[in-house]
Amino acid sequence: MKTAQEMKPNSVALIDNQPWLIQKAEFTKSGRNSAIVKMKLKNLLTGSATETVYKADDKMEQVILDRVDVTYSYSSDSVYVFMDEDYNQYELNADDLESVLPFIVEGMTDICAAVFFEGKVISVDLPTNIVRQLTYTEGSARGDTSGKVMKVARLANGTEIKVADFCNTDDWIEIDTRTGEYKSRAKAPA
Amino acid sequence: MTPILSAFDGGFGMRASWDIFCSVIDNFGDIGVTWRLARQLVAEHDQEVRLWVDDLECFARLCPAANAKDAQQLHQGVRVQHWLHDPLQQDPSPQDQPPSASAPDYSSVKAADVVIEAFACQLPDAYIAAMAQRARPSLWLNLEYLSAEDWVAGCHGLPSLQPRGLQKYFFFPGFTPDTGGLLREAGLIEQRRRFQQDPAARQQFLNSLGVIAQKNSRLVSLFSYENKSLFSWLDTLAAATRPTQLLVPQGRIIAELQEWLGVKQLSLNDQHQRGALKVQLLPFLSQPDYDRLLWSCDLNVVRGEDSFVRAQWAAKPLLWHIYPQQENAHMDKLDAFLKLYCHGLSPAAGTALQAQWHAWNSGLNMAKSEQALRQVWPELEAHSDAWCTQLSAQINISTALVQFFRKWL
């Protein structure tokens, strides 16, 4: 058993004998020293979706899922196609990729993990750390070099992310996909 | 008042049963809110309510008619039941358990139509089983903490999927119409207005506490957690031109107050004068008497959740000591409330108020902010009245809960 707080997006919880894919999970401190997790769930048997809330320490039964390494190929009309080393293609709708969609860009070479439930692909996990290029950001306003002052920047797919003030357009940055936050400036992938 | 449930059907009958579980963690907020809610469900909605509380000593402070040794008792139509935690289950407040207490037997307990776990307390496993075993499982609600943060509206009323066919929902109090509202008894605002318009009633009440209100003095109540800003605030009041009478119901601030006064022990109704400041210790007050104290004062310093809300119904300026949380999470909650509360204030008043509340909650010197606040005091008085009127137009928690149950049926 895991706590609700430990359940991450793209994991599956068995609730009342129904498998629910966690598409999104937001942790919030409520009052005193307790916390809640707001989740967007999708029932893998019926396809129905719901928003739900748990106490952060509520116990949840996690379903262990099969995973296969894949890379991103292309997208068309909100369908995203990934491919494994045997050239098998896996199609996913944008709705099933909600937590990773902000970081999917054309030409990305990350080794991702396609996640399967009862033989059917249900989502894709990105690596914990990914490198992306900034396509636009304002110039440094304050000349800060500490990395503590942040500003908004944009990725190739339009995703906006807060980066250190010293980052420039065309720079490459490292992102933590668990939090969706900027980690550091990075070298361009080889 | 016509009970809202009188038109109910769906197999729950005319009068629904409610079990409210309250685990007292540290102060009086948990039991203060749940006791208030329980009374209101009985008095205004004709519901059958059982209040499970794990600390009857604490309950008896708020309800002087209660006996802390009676495991079951009836007060104001509410069945009060001592909640003995199952020692095999994780216990949020083991210090409240007498060592000899044995595990409760829930096999004979009939789960209620509506079950409220207050402030995320942990229901007994056996009781949850009893909820599931009913012909129609109980409606299970987690009554959450009060917060003015934006995310509250997005979580209020959402389900929390559970095993065994149980339906659980999160219910969030709040300050906006898209939340569950605040606890407010029917007729409270009118009762408060009548009291405030009747100087004789105010004087009679204050006299009953041993307080003689001095002419031209500012009357201030102080109910706060330990606070590093207290000394500088008291210094400022003592040095002010206008006299202040500070009324302090018994509570956690007393030790620091004694230290500032330089006395070993404050006794009830002792009066200590320091410059323009006169300090008087009051007994711990029942909820109705505490309301009247708030209505009588020109400024109320309050803490946590229950006294914070009651001070807003008093329609007088207030200073809030928010419950401190790990990683300063409480400062976001403080700012979220200030954002709502300061709407409509002039920039000068808004800035002064925020500076004072931040100083009070950050252990900073209060001199500058206290002086700035005095410049805008008439505006703050008018604003607190307008804020109360605005809030009182919203639904109150007990009505919102009954309506929630009605929709669920």
Side-chain angles (χ1 to χ4, degrees):
Chain A
M1 298 290 264
K2 287 194 166 189
T3 63
Q5 187 180 351
E6 292 168 334
M7 297 293 285
K8 301 300 176 197
N10 289 346
S11 58
V12 172
L14 197 64
I15 306 167
D16 221 4
N17 297 318
Q18 299 280 308
W20 291 89
L21 171 68
I22 298 168
Q23 296 182 303
K24 201 173 175 184
E26 294 172 350
F27 174 84
T28 309
K29 292 201 168 179
S30 55
R32 201 173 270 140
N33 289 318
S34 70
I36 61 160
V37 184
K38 182 180 181 184
M39 291 178 173
K40 187 174 174 190
L41 303 180
K42 180 182 174 185
N43 188 310
L44 293 175
L45 298 180
T46 65
S48 66
T50 184
E51 283 195 312
T52 178
V53 187
Y54 288 96
K55 292 190 273 190
D57 56 1
D58 275 348
K59 296 286 190 294
M60 300 186 97
E61 186 179 347
Q62 185 174 15
V63 178
I64 304 302
L65 302 163
D66 296 326
R67 306 167 84 85
V68 171
D69 284 353
V70 294
T71 53
Y72 171 67
S73 289
Y74 64 94
S75 67
S76 175
D77 296 334
S78 298
V79 174
Y80 289 74
V81 180
F82 293 80
M83 190 182 294
D84 67 15
E85 61 181 8
D86 297 325
Y87 305 105
N88 297 309
Q89 290 194 343
Y90 305 101
E91 293 185 354
L92 285 143
N93 291 315
D95 287 349
D96 299 321
L97 296 169
E98 186 167 335
S99 64
V100 298
L101 211 51
F103 304 111
I104 292 183
V105 295
E106 292 305 317
M108 63 185 251
T109 55
D110 307 286
I111 304 298
C112 308
V115 183
F116 293 81
F117 178 71
E118 293 183 347
K120 185 186 169 195
V121 64
I122 56 169
S123 67
V124 163
D125 281 342
L126 291 176
T128 303
N129 296 309
I130 57 171
V131 172
R132 293 289 181 268
Q133 188 173 26
L134 302 181
T135 57
Y136 179 76
T137 185
E138 297 284 346
S140 172
R142 306 181 205 180
D144 179 80
T145 56
S146 67
K148 291 178 182 170
V149 178
M150 307 296 275
K151 64 179 179 181
V152 175
R154 202 176 300 142
L155 306 182
N157 62 357
T159 295
E160 290 195 335
I161 184 168
K162 283 189 176 171
V163 298
D165 189 56
F166 53 70
C167 291
N168 298 308
T169 299
D170 293 334
D171 278 355
W172 292 82
I173 61 164
E174 190 171 57
I175 298 168
D176 186 331
T177 57
R178 294 169 300 183
T179 61
E181 290 176 355
Y182 161 89
K183 280 183 74 178
S184 62
R185 210 152 42 173
K187 288 182 180 174
Chain B
M1 180 171 187
T2 306
I4 290 176
L5 279 176
S6 59
F8 280 13
D9 53 16
F12 281 87
M14 301 282 280
R15 197 165 186 242
S17 60
W18 297 63
D19 269 337
I20 303 174
F21 284 82
C22 172
S23 179
V24 177
I25 304 293
D26 43 15
N27 301 300
F28 295 95
D30 313 278
I31 187 61
V33 169
T34 49
W35 170 228
R36 212 181 275 289
L37 171 63
R39 291 200 319 262
Q40 212 179 332
L41 285 168
V42 169
E44 296 174 25
H45 302 285
D46 194 30
Q47 302 300 286
E48 183 185 324
V49 181
R50 178 168 49 182
L51 174 61
W52 297 75
V53 56
D54 61 1
D55 185 348
L56 286 174
E57 295 279 355
C58 193
F59 171 69
R61 297 286 302 278
L62 290 181
C63 177
N67 182 340
K69 297 195 187 322
D70 279 352
Q72 293 179 32
Q73 43 198 309
L74 186 71
H75 296 286
Q76 300 179 45
V78 178
R79 287 172 60 200
V80 179
Q81 172 82 41
H82 190 200
W83 176 15
L84 292 166
H85 291 285
D86 184 342
L88 297 177
Q89 200 170 344
Q90 189 178 3
D91 184 354
S93 54
Q95 73 275 14
D96 298 325
Q97 291 287 329
S100 59
S102 56
D105 177 12
Y106 289 96
S107 59
S108 59
V109 172
K110 188 182 167 195
D113 300 331
V114 188
V115 178
I116 296 177
E117 56 176 38
F119 309 116
C121 70
Q122 189 72 35
L123 295 188
D125 288 340
Y127 185 88
I128 295 173
M131 288 161 64
Q133 281 161 8
R134 287 170 45 108
R136 178 170 182 176
S138 310
L139 169 62
W140 183 0
L141 298 169
N142 176 25
L143 176 63
E144 266 289 342
Y145 294 95
L146 174 63
S147 173
E149 290 166 292
D150 291 340
W151 59 264
V152 166
C155 291
H156 172 60
L158 286 185
S160 182
L161 305 183
Q162 299 293 319
R164 296 185 272 194
L166 283 165
Q167 292 190 33
K168 180 178 179 180
Y169 295 85
F170 274 57
F171 191 97
F172 284 85
F175 301 92
T176 53
D178 44 13
T179 66
L182 301 169
L183 274 172
R184 186 186 73 251
E185 296 83 355
L188 176 73
I189 305 301
E190 294 73 19
Q191 194 187 348
R192 187 262 298 160
R193 283 195 182 122
R194 278 198 303 275
F195 181 87
Q196 289 177 334
Q197 288 165 0
D198 184 352
R202 176 176 180 266
Q203 187 177 339
Q204 189 181 2
F205 167 70
L206 290 171
N207 290 349
S208 74
L209 299 178
V211 175
I212 309 296
Q214 306 294 313
K215 205 174 179 185
N216 298 325
S217 270
R218 192 166 74 138
L219 212 56
V220 178
S221 75
L222 171 63
F223 187 61
S224 170
Y225 306 118
E226 298 82 357
N227 193 311
K228 289 178 181 170
S229 298
L230 180 70
F231 285 16
S232 67
W233 184 60
L234 296 175
D235 290 342
T236 309
L237 297 181
T241 314
R242 187 179 172 193
T244 297
Q245 272 182 273
L246 186 65
L247 307 177
V248 190
Q250 280 185 328
R252 286 170 53 172
I253 199 76
I254 302 301
E256 287 179 354
L257 197 58
Q258 287 172 169
E259 190 182 341
W260 183 80
L261 288 167
V263 298
K264 281 190 177 171
Q265 188 162 9
L266 271 175
S267 302
L268 281 184
N269 291 324
D270 276 0
Q271 295 186 24
H272 297 267
Q273 188 83 41
R274 299 288 184 276
L277 175 63
K278 182 183 282 184
V279 178
Q280 184 171 349
L281 183 66
L282 302 181
F284 190 88
L285 300 175
S286 66
Q287 288 182 329
D289 276 350
Y290 184 64
D291 273 342
R292 282 188 277 273
L293 178 68
L294 296 171
W295 301 347
S296 300
C297 288
D298 302 298
L299 166 69
N300 294 302
V301 184
V302 290
R303 72 184 200 193
E305 186 167 323
D306 193 45
S307 61
F308 171 54
V309 172
R310 303 314 284 188
Q312 290 170 71
W313 299 137
K316 295 292 185 75
L318 69 154
L319 171 58
W320 183 27
H321 193 184
I322 190 169
Y323 190 97
Q325 287 183 262
Q326 291 165 353
E327 297 168 3
N328 276 338
H330 58 286
M331 294 307 283
D332 290 339
K333 297 174 195 306
L334 183 75
D335 285 336
F337 178 77
L338 281 169
K339 188 178 164 191
L340 285 179
Y341 187 74
C342 291
H343 184 73
L345 277 176
S346 67
T351 303
L353 187 80
Q354 289 181 45
Q356 195 202 38
W357 285 36
H358 279 158
W360 187 244
N361 284 283
S362 307
L364 303 177
N365 190 296
M366 297 285 283
K368 198 173 166 186
S369 61
E370 179 68 24
Q371 281 158 9
L373 216 61
R374 283 179 204 157
Q375 308 301 316
V376 293
W377 196 254
E379 184 183 345
L380 287 177
E381 287 185 312
H383 183 73
S384 53
D385 191 40
W387 172 256
C388 175
T389 303
Q390 178 189 323
L391 280 189
S392 60
Q394 293 176 13
I395 199 165
N396 73 71
I397 289 180
S398 68
T399 302
L401 282 167
V402 171
Q403 287 182 358
F404 194 94
F405 173 52
R406 183 182 185 185
K407 282 183 187 168
W408 175 79
L409 280 175

